[in-house]
Amino acid sequence: MLKLLESMKQLYVCCGYVDMRKGIEGLAAVVEIKYGKQIEEGSLFLFCGRKADRFKGLFWDSNGYVMVYKRLSNGRFQWPRSKEELAQITPQQFRWLMEGLSIYPSKSIKNTKPGSLF
């Protein structure tokens, strides 16, 4: 299933909290009303509640909506909480999120121009 989710063309994280009691219609309404987006084929929208130990994903597969649900037995997702926005993420960021890491690395090596070695 993870390979199927990673194959999506566009990955979105709904930052902040979402009521995890919502079903397909409720989550689709969040995407359309709150964020002004349409759920299209190849797009995956991810939602997380306050506990951050579970998430729901919603996508369209050519003839209907598909909702996926994952609940961790131990640990929490590092879900972005700072803004109430829709963040588009890369497949790498999606893998980090599923591994319990932040989608925003705290440190990274900065690019520089080549210089003289001697």
Side-chain angles (χ1 to χ4, degrees):
M1 179 59 91
L2 194 57
K3 292 289 183 195
L4 171 68
L5 299 180
E6 287 180 344
S7 72
M8 294 288 154
K9 296 174 190 157
Q10 297 173 322
L11 301 164
Y12 296 98
V13 170
C14 298
C15 301
Y17 307 105
V18 175
D19 183 353
M20 293 302 283
R21 295 174 292 181
K22 292 184 185 294
I24 290 174
E25 291 84 4
L27 295 176
V30 168
V31 170
E32 292 179 15
I33 295 169
K34 185 175 181 179
Y35 299 116
K37 296 287 271 182
Q38 291 291 328
I39 299 175
E40 300 169 348
E41 193 162 356
S43 296
L44 171 66
F45 293 84
L46 301 170
F47 308 87
C48 189
R50 289 193 183 274
K51 289 184 179 181
D53 66 341
R54 60 197 76 191
F55 81 88
K56 287 184 178 180
L58 185 63
F59 65 94
W60 178 264
D61 80 339
S62 77
N63 61 4
Y65 288 104
V66 176
M67 183 170 66
V68 294
Y69 179 82
K70 181 171 182 171
R71 186 178 128 217
L72 298 174
S73 59
N74 156 355
R76 297 169 54 120
F77 292 107
Q78 297 296 313
W79 211 263
R81 301 286 188 193
S82 59
K83 299 177 185 171
E84 290 292 320
E85 67 178 14
L86 188 66
Q88 188 167 2
I89 62 172
T90 65
Q92 176 65 49
Q93 288 173 308
F94 177 72
R95 282 189 294 280
W96 287 340
L97 188 62
M98 295 300 105
E99 293 170 3
L101 303 171
S102 172
I103 62 171
Y104 305 113
S106 59
K107 293 182 179 181
S108 63
I109 298 172
K110 295 181 180 176
N111 294 335
T112 60
K113 294 181 180 180
S116 174
L117 293 176
F118 306 101

